[in-house]
Amino acid sequence: MERLPSPHISLEQWRCLVAVVEAGGYAQAAEKLHKSQSSVTYAVQKLERLLDIKAFQMAGRRAILTPAGDMLYRRARQLLEDSANLERAAGKVSAGWESEINIAVEALYPTWLLLESFERFGRDSPHTRINLYETIFQGGPDLLMSGQVELAILPEVPAGSNGKALPHTSRIIPVAHADHPLHQLGRQLSLSDLRKHRHLVVRDTSHQRDSRTSTVDVAQRWTVSSMATSIGAVCRGYGFAWLPEDKIRHELTSGLLKPLPLGDGDARFAQLYLIFHDPEQIGPGVRRLAQIIEEDMLQAGLNL
């Protein structure tokens, strides 16, 4: 590994430079830093001497930045901010906050709400990395039970695990493009009507794929690997699909997609659960992220 060069300038010298600029002079900087004026002056002069740069020029009793000094000031501020962030991150680690969190989330869960939760968590622990696995059917339980993720949001609780039901259920409805032939029939549809058209299905992400990804026995079927692809295909009129209502709210509101009239059995509901891989070994970061997810879903107040 290449050896890093040793810095010639200390953080304290950079701090003195920034203080002189922002306080408006050496005397004011000394007061702000609780130092003697001579020590602040010496620190800045030593910095200038080591770099062979004149950072300030005096205008009366006021220190004015030179163009080179302005560049140093901006870089020094960033350096001090990075240093403070590093110290905060180290404090999180020393307090037991994880440097990385792995979470599996069933594709039924609203993406926008999940991202808002991630953003909120990032304000609490900006240096904790999040690895998201978007799963279908048994893909999530596989990751959870194998320990590849510490936390999961799933439509069912794997055997041997305990899960906490989230405040809302996911409503899944059959839809097709507004101009799809199924909408032209002008009546309540039957399964035999559906069998005459292409069904769009999202593939199970587990290693041992589940046959439940197929919801209607049809001759024409496209099986895709993501919910986004399925939604895109339906929006282009390539077939019909059962999709989470929350994920297609815009398409439904705009009229691009319309629910298929299947009668009382048209909608399906999936309860979602928050599940830890090992409830007895939950780190503070995982616990906080789970808390935020629950709070955000409750606050959203959606029938997901």
Side-chain angles (χ1 to χ4, degrees), residues 13 26 37-49:
Q13 288 170 296
Y26 289 94
Q37 182 174 340
S38 61
S39 66
V40 172
T41 302
Y42 175 76
V44 173
Q45 289 177 345
K46 184 178 180 181
L47 181 153
E48 291 177 313
R49 187 168 62 254

Side-chain angles (χ1 to χ4, degrees), residues 180-231:
H180 192 278
L182 285 169
H183 287 303
Q184 312 308 314
L185 296 178
R187 56 174 171 78
Q188 185 169 306
L189 303 177
S190 65
L191 290 180
S192 63
D193 292 321
L194 298 184
R195 291 189 182 103
K196 300 172 185 176
H197 298 274
R198 182 182 297 118
H199 186 201
L200 301 165
V201 179
V202 183
R203 179 182 294 110
D204 187 341
T205 56
S206 70
H207 294 299
Q208 296 180 339
R209 305 228 162 94
D210 194 317
S211 61
R212 287 176 299 170
T213 55
S214 175
T215 54
V216 179
D217 184 18
V218 295
Q220 299 181 66
R221 179 182 298 115
W222 287 359
T223 302
V224 300
S225 59
S226 75
M227 186 72 70
T229 302
S230 178
I231 293 172

Side-chain angles (χ1 to χ4, degrees), residues 4 120 142 189:
L4 295 174
R120 187 176 158 201
D142 283 355
L189 303 177

Side-chain angles (χ1 to χ4, degrees), residues 8-17 43-44 46-47 50:
H8 299 292
I9 312 299
S10 69
L11 282 177
E12 192 57 34
Q13 288 170 296
W14 290 120
R15 189 172 287 110
C16 288
L17 173 71
V44 173
K46 184 178 180 181
L47 181 153
L50 287 170

Side-chain angles (χ1 to χ4, degrees), residues 48-155:
E48 291 177 313
R49 187 168 62 254
L50 287 170
L51 297 177
D52 194 23
I53 285 178
K54 196 69 176 172
F56 295 99
Q57 58 188 14
M58 298 305 296
R61 305 179 74 176
R62 185 175 176 82
I64 305 297
L65 279 174
T66 64
D70 181 63
M71 180 274 291
L72 290 179
Y73 164 69
R74 287 184 282 106
R75 295 290 184 90
R77 269 192 63 86
Q78 185 62 55
L79 177 64
L80 293 173
E81 186 176 322
D82 290 343
S83 174
N85 288 337
L86 179 59
E87 289 179 8
R88 282 193 290 269
K92 294 285 188 183
V93 173
S94 67
W97 281 68
E98 303 89 327
S99 61
E100 186 172 271
I101 293 175
N102 301 287
I103 177 172
V105 179
E106 172 69 28
L108 298 174
Y109 194 88
T111 304
W112 65 268
L113 187 58
L114 181 67
L115 295 178
E116 285 189 3
S117 297
F118 286 175
E119 171 62 20
R120 187 176 158 201
F121 175 78
R123 294 195 290 271
D124 287 350
S125 185
H127 299 286
T128 298
R129 298 178 179 180
I130 294 178
N131 293 323
L132 170 63
Y133 297 86
E134 297 174 277
T135 61
I136 302 290
F137 292 109
Q138 291 303 305
D142 283 355
L143 292 170
L144 185 71
M145 301 308 290
S146 66
Q148 294 181 65
V149 300
E150 296 83 38
L151 178 66
I153 299 174
L154 305 175

